[in-house]
Amino acid sequence: MAPIFSLFLSIVMLSWSIAQGQGPPSPGYSPSTSVRTVKFDQVFRNLWGPQHQRADQDSITIWLDKTSGSGFKSIQPYQSGYFGAAMKLQPGYTAGVITSFYLSNNEDHPGNHDEIDIEFLGTTPDELYTLQTNVYIKGSGDGNIIGREMKFHLWFDPTQDFHNYAALWTPSEIIFFVDDVPIRRYTRKSEATFPTRPMWVYGSIWDASTWATDNGRYKANYNYQPFVGKYTNFKISGCIAGGPASCRPPSVSPSDTGSLSQQQLTAMNWVQRNYLVYDYCQDPKRDHGQIPEC
């Protein structure tokens, strides 16, 4: 079979498989509706790669080529809150490229930082994008990175339109959302396994060829540059570090009890049954002494 036709057939089959995918049951509540949309320049500033960044009041486009990637950072650090953005990814060959939206205090605590990650792992045209969620707690002391990754495929094509991705970080749990559907819940079981120090909000696109796609088997190929990530509909409602002790993050559910409703749990369980592709707690190669929350 001719290589070009084979590639075309793979793309057609991939599109067909996504089209057949069934969406999750309704979670019954949309936390994002309680959070107002903010303009990019109200909350963020360029961090690096300004020549690879194009912003207006409501959105930003960043890109990676062989000279540089790009990133942005919040003006304020936060102690907790709801942090979301609508993102649209690049189709085609994006292996080795990470497009991300995350919280971190790496600049304040290098080598000993906390992080809450929403990362898209670049892919080849015949494979689905992988959404990686991750939590670090004092995460890379002495170079020993202890990730808590859960990876998902999605029930839609994230290159065709904008979709909303968010993390809600409260004093007791971290919940990851896709279009207001909870996909992962990480609960605070001890001081040692939960991030409590202030973090900044970041977005970036960069070359992670050593690990991002099939454990580094496929690298970034700059014949396909630029690699573009688009962000809009920023929803940020957080407790600023050093702010009033009375500040509370938005509620995750309509009951305002701080817990997911039964309908939300049903939707999350459905996603994990059908689209979860990696769970660090189920990985026999991991040292479970380092991840006692499992």
Side-chain angles (χ1 to χ4, degrees):
M1 184 181 294
I4 293 177
F5 179 74
S6 178
L7 178 61
F8 172 76
L9 183 60
S10 296
I11 293 172
V12 169
M13 293 301 293
L14 181 61
S15 300
W16 181 86
S17 65
I18 293 173
Q20 302 309 303
Q22 178 186 2
S26 170
Y29 179 68
S30 299
S32 68
T33 60
S34 66
V35 180
R36 66 184 181 90
T37 299
V38 296
K39 297 181 185 299
F40 175 81
D41 58 7
Q42 286 180 309
V43 179
F44 297 102
R45 294 289 184 270
N46 171 261
L47 179 63
W48 60 287
Q51 72 280 15
H52 288 69
Q53 192 171 112
R54 184 176 63 252
D56 60 33
Q57 288 188 333
D58 300 318
S59 62
I60 186 168
T61 299
I62 57 178
W63 61 92
L64 166 72
D65 62 25
K66 62 183 178 182
T67 66
S68 179
S70 188
F72 54 89
K73 177 184 177 181
S74 64
I75 299 169
Q76 302 269 15
Y78 297 89
Q79 189 69 53
S80 63
Y82 179 97
F83 309 95
M87 299 170 61
K88 184 178 180 182
L89 307 179
Q90 176 156 319
Y93 189 99
T94 57
V97 178
I98 296 290
T99 309
S100 63
F101 186 70
Y102 63 103
L103 292 94
S104 178
N105 51 32
N106 183 50
E107 292 177 274
D108 296 327
H109 305 284
N112 188 33
H113 71 284
D114 308 295
E115 205 162 290
I116 299 171
D117 292 337
I118 297 170
E119 300 175 303
F120 283 97
L121 311 184
T123 189
T124 55
D126 57 336
E127 297 291 340
L128 298 170
Y129 261 102
T130 297
L131 170 59
Q132 174 171 280
T133 64
N134 202 355
V135 179
Y136 291 152
I137 299 95
K138 298 184 178 178
S140 54
D142 300 323
N144 182 24
I145 297 175
I146 303 172
R148 292 166 167 83
E149 304 92 343
M150 288 181 69
K151 302 178 184 180
F152 300 83
H153 288 155
L154 296 169
W155 51 96
F156 54 83
D157 182 349
T159 72
Q160 294 299 304
D161 204 351
F162 284 94
H163 290 268
N164 295 299
Y165 308 94
L168 176 62
W169 173 34
T170 78
S172 60
E173 63 187 2
I174 299 163
I175 301 176
F176 296 88
F177 295 91
V178 175
D179 288 338
D180 278 314
V181 176
I183 63 169
R184 177 185 182 181
R185 181 185 195 182
Y186 182 87
T187 58
R188 180 174 183 165
K189 296 184 178 178
S190 73
E191 292 285 336
T193 61
F194 196 83
T196 57
R197 296 178 296 182
M199 288 190 273
W200 308 75
V201 189
Y202 295 83
S204 63
I205 189 166
W206 55 289
D207 186 335
S209 288
T210 57
W211 63 270
T213 308
D214 201 6
N215 295 317
R217 178 183 177 190
Y218 298 100
K219 315 292 185 185
N221 183 340
Y222 289 99
N223 289 324
Y224 297 98
Q225 70 176 25
F227 302 103
V228 178
K230 298 180 179 181
Y231 301 72
T232 191
N233 196 32
F234 292 97
K235 286 181 173 282
I236 309 292
S237 179
C239 296
I240 296 171
S246 59
C247 181
R248 295 290 182 271
S251 176
V252 66
S253 70
S255 65
D256 201 28
T257 61
S259 300
L260 290 169
S261 69
Q262 186 56 53
Q263 195 169 348
Q264 287 173 308
L265 288 170
T266 297
M268 183 176 71
N269 291 337
W270 183 93
V271 172
Q272 293 187 1
R273 279 198 315 273
N274 290 281
Y275 289 94
L276 179 66
V277 295
Y278 175 82
D279 181 350
Y280 75 107
C281 282
Q282 304 301 319
D283 187 343
K285 297 179 182 178
R286 296 295 299 267
D287 179 357
H288 282 243
Q290 295 182 329
I291 46 176
E293 71 277 3
C294 290

